[in-house]
Amino acid sequence: MKMPDTPGNEEQRLETLRSIDILDTDPEERFDRLTRMAKRVFDVPIALVSLVDENRQWFKSRVGLDTCETRRDISFCGHAILGDGPFIIDDTLQDERFADNPLVTGEPSIRFYAGMPLRYVNGTKLGTLCIIDHKPRSLDDEDLAMFRDLAEMAESELSAVHLASIDELTRIPNRRGFIVTAQNSISLCARHGLPVSLAYFDLDGFKTINDRYGHNEGDHALVSFAELMRRTFRDSDVFARIGGDEFVALLTNTGEKRAAEVLARFRGQVESFNAQANRGYEIKFTDGIVSVWPDERSTIGDLLRRADVMMYERKLRDQGQSEIAQGG
């Protein structure tokens, strides 16, 4: 058996795949429609939309297959993403690369495989649209044309997922993207008995930045804040811009004490940025933090509301203390 090689742009490819927040999400009709169509058009028992992660291939959509993922080192799709066109094996038992592959000798007993790489807008290949049969076969030119058309439709859907869930200015998730991904993270932590903490950020004096320095500078402040979040929080955390000058971060497997430490480090990052940026103003924020041990009833909506209230109460207290200090 030959294991798939690693693409030359693997780091960028994985970063892109994770940035669209689609791994381990629920089935969606827009992808399931394509696999049903591929199964019917090509009269095959199995059709998949497969995304190739670091150590696995995960199926966003699957027809005719029970498992939702397999190891990358035995995957056919890992080979398919290395090329620019269709990757086709007419008969796996006649191909020394795959004849002893566990997916051939065992379930799902692959004899025929065809995979079309799915390119993202930046050119990286995130996975494949693939069809599988239990008997040898081949595709003619008309089949290949239809296969390409279906793959292009899958590519369009991947792009739509990203565009609908990413904030155009800061390039981090927007409210829609955050809600979906954060709820999945909460449910995962609930199943494994792990704590979560939600931090709600509101930029202080943002209107003054816009009024005094212009909206371009205001945009620069928002982008800078988002970049500081990206540097501080972990890959397993979920952060987003959910409003004009409002940001949030869901810290997984993080209790109250640890959350306070992370927020103190983040505040230090912002203060260091202010000291070096020298743009005539400072980025400042007020935060509200809620830490819970979630259960199956926990929702991201409830955590957002509670953290928002805490943030607002803190902002009022800070303003009151500032007024008292000025009066004194």
Side-chain angles (χ1 to χ4, degrees):
M1 186 193 79
K2 184 182 188 306
M3 293 189 297
D5 294 328
T6 302
N9 64 342
E10 178 71 351
E11 184 174 345
Q12 180 194 18
R13 196 189 67 79
L14 290 175
E15 182 179 346
T16 300
L17 178 59
R18 291 163 186 162
S19 74
I20 65 175
D21 290 325
I22 194 173
L23 292 172
D24 300 308
T25 57
D26 293 333
E28 295 182 61
E29 174 60 22
R30 55 173 138 181
F31 293 105
D32 291 344
R33 183 177 64 251
L34 294 175
T35 50
R36 290 197 304 267
M37 190 181 303
K39 180 181 186 298
R40 183 171 63 252
V41 167
F42 297 106
D43 190 25
V44 292
I46 299 172
L48 309 165
V49 171
S50 174
L51 300 173
V52 182
D53 198 2
E54 184 175 10
N55 296 309
R56 60 173 177 157
Q57 60 172 356
W58 176 78
F59 308 128
K60 175 59 180 174
S61 178
R62 64 188 192 274
V63 176
L65 191 66
D66 291 332
T67 186
C68 63
E69 64 182 55
T70 64
R71 289 171 13 221
R72 179 176 177 177
D73 62 348
I74 62 173
S75 72
F76 283 64
C77 297
H79 292 272
I81 64 171
L82 299 173
D84 295 321
F87 181 77
I88 301 174
I89 308 297
D90 291 340
D91 186 350
T92 56
L93 295 184
Q94 303 303 315
D95 192 315
E96 62 181 10
R97 296 172 297 175
F98 300 103
D100 59 347
N101 186 296
L103 300 178
V104 174
T105 59
E107 292 297 325
S109 303
I110 299 174
R111 286 293 299 275
F112 165 83
Y113 171 91
M116 188 72 73
L118 299 180
R119 294 178 179 81
Y120 192 59
V121 292
N122 63 0
T124 58
K125 298 161 192 169
L126 303 185
T128 72
L129 172 69
C130 66
I131 52 176
I132 293 169
D133 206 337
H134 303 310
K135 61 180 183 294
R137 60 181 297 169
S138 60
L139 300 180
D140 59 25
D141 290 343
E142 185 176 347
D143 291 332
L144 287 174
M146 174 61 74
F147 199 30
R148 288 190 177 91
D149 289 343
L150 290 175
E152 287 179 3
M153 294 170 65
E155 290 174 342
S156 296
E157 296 299 349
L158 284 174
S159 297
V161 168
H162 178 63
L163 294 174
S165 61
I166 296 296
D167 177 60
E168 185 176 353
L169 175 65
T170 61
R171 311 310 300 168
I172 63 175
N174 57 20
R175 177 180 285 273
R176 177 187 180 278
F178 177 78
I179 293 295
V180 173
T181 307
Q183 188 61 58
N184 288 336
S185 295
I186 289 173
S187 298
L188 181 64
C189 286
R191 288 197 298 271
H192 293 278
L194 302 174
V196 299
S197 295
L198 179 73
Y200 199 115
F201 305 97
D202 184 78
L203 299 191
D204 299 330
F206 180 69
K207 183 177 183 301
T208 301
I209 296 175
N210 275 330
D211 292 345
R212 184 174 298 176
Y213 299 95
H215 288 282
N216 286 341
E217 193 61 40
D219 287 349
H220 183 273
L222 294 172
V223 170
S224 298
F225 192 83
E227 179 58 31
L228 289 167
M229 296 183 79
R230 187 179 286 109
R231 293 179 195 172
T232 303
F233 299 117
R234 302 166 300 182
D235 290 341
S236 58
D237 298 328
V238 186
F239 53 90
R241 180 192 179 199
I242 62 169
D245 59 354
E246 296 178 325
F247 295 78
V248 290
L250 181 74
L251 313 180
T252 56
N253 192 18
T254 303
E256 183 176 2
K257 180 179 178 181
R258 176 59 180 157
E261 295 172 351
V262 173
L263 266 292
R265 186 171 75 251
F266 177 62
R267 190 173 293 277
Q269 292 275 6
V270 174
E271 291 173 352
S272 296
F273 171 83
N274 287 331
Q276 298 173 15
N278 193 29
R279 302 188 72 88
Y281 63 87
E282 292 188 344
I283 297 176
K284 296 183 178 181
F285 65 88
T286 301
D287 61 76
I289 309 173
V290 173
S291 299
V292 299
W293 291 83
D295 57 31
E296 65 276 5
R297 297 181 301 275
S298 300
T299 68
I300 187 60
D302 178 59
L303 290 183
L304 281 171
R305 286 188 291 272
R306 292 169 58 187
D308 185 19
V309 168
M310 293 184 65
M311 181 277 297
Y312 185 69
E313 291 176 346
R314 176 171 293 179
K315 188 179 284 284
L316 289 178
R317 288 197 304 270
D318 292 346
Q319 289 175 350
Q321 293 172 358
S322 177
E323 291 172 359
I324 292 174
Q326 290 176 4

